[in-house]
Amino acid sequence: MGIDMGHYLEKILEGLIFKSRWLMAPMYLGLVGGLVILLVKFGQEFIHIAAHLASFSEQETVLSLLALVDITLVGNLLIMVIFSGYENFVSRIDTADSEDRPEWMGKVDYSGLKLKLIGSIVAISAIDLLKAFVHQSSGTASFSTEQMAWLVGIHLTFIITGVLFAWMDKIAGHGSDH
């Protein structure tokens, strides 16, 4: 009888642990809210650019457009985390019959998600670094040598991290799946 009770408690515990994955769902909904916030910020920036286009210099226009690209890349990053995270850790998203379903959806495992995330972070960092260099060269901002070195160092750290992640995945045998 003690064995049956232990088996019963084990099944209850395992069921509870398995169902606990749904605690992540509100977090993914929160990230959807983050997309709405990004959309508002994108709209504000776009309206600002449109309103001041005639008075902007070429560098100011480029910097403003880089800000839009930056916001868009962060949005793409959120989409990847929302879709892949939800499908990998909570439940499959049943949109297989939709012609709009992204081709990568349902195919990106945790390893692939990790590489896509670091790739997006490197791209965002590169844009921020480019904006800092443009600001510096145009004289609209004055970064110290130490601040610029930090920006470059952080960007290089992201690049090295991405290369190490890819290398570890290759060693683990995940490299051919992407």
Side-chain angles (χ1 to χ4, degrees):
M1 183 140 155
I3 295 174
D4 290 336
M5 183 59 133
H7 181 70
Y8 176 73
L9 288 174
E10 181 181 0
K11 289 292 182 190
I12 289 174
L13 180 61
E14 289 172 356
L16 181 63
I17 290 171
F18 182 69
K19 290 176 182 167
S20 70
R21 73 192 190 284
W22 286 99
L23 295 172
M24 291 298 297
M27 294 180 201
Y28 293 115
L29 284 174
L31 291 178
V32 171
L35 276 174
V36 172
I37 291 168
L38 278 176
L39 178 61
V40 169
K41 282 307 205 185
F42 185 94
Q44 289 174 336
E45 185 67 21
F46 185 83
I47 290 168
H48 175 76
I49 294 169
H52 296 91
L53 189 58
S55 64
F56 275 178
S57 68
E58 183 180 340
Q59 287 181 331
E60 289 171 318
T61 303
V62 169
L63 285 170
S64 297
L65 292 175
L66 284 174
L68 293 180
V69 171
D70 207 10
I71 292 169
T72 302
L73 286 173
V74 172
N76 290 340
L77 180 66
L78 282 175
I79 287 290
M80 282 190 288
V81 170
I82 293 165
F83 285 7
S84 297
Y86 185 87
E87 284 207 331
N88 280 307
F89 301 111
V90 180
S91 181
R92 291 279 173 215
I93 299 173
D94 188 18
T95 58
D97 56 343
S98 173
E99 64 184 43
D100 292 332
R101 181 181 170 95
E103 187 176 316
W104 58 267
M105 202 170 142
K107 297 176 185 173
V108 178
D109 61 1
Y110 182 68
S111 178
L113 176 61
K114 179 177 58 177
L115 292 176
K116 288 182 184 313
L117 289 175
I118 194 67
S120 294
I121 290 168
V122 168
I124 291 166
S125 172
I127 288 174
D128 286 340
L129 188 58
L130 179 60
K131 287 193 300 191
F133 282 130
V134 171
H135 275 299
Q136 188 76 357
S137 68
S138 69
T140 58
S142 180
F143 293 100
S144 70
T145 304
E146 183 179 343
Q147 289 171 317
M148 292 302 283
W150 272 105
L151 289 173
V152 170
I154 290 168
H155 181 66
L156 288 174
T157 301
F158 288 146
I159 291 171
I160 291 167
T161 301
V163 169
L164 289 175
F165 279 170
W167 183 60
M168 288 186 296
D169 277 354
K170 185 171 178 73
I171 289 172
H174 298 290
S176 61
D177 296 334
H178 307 296

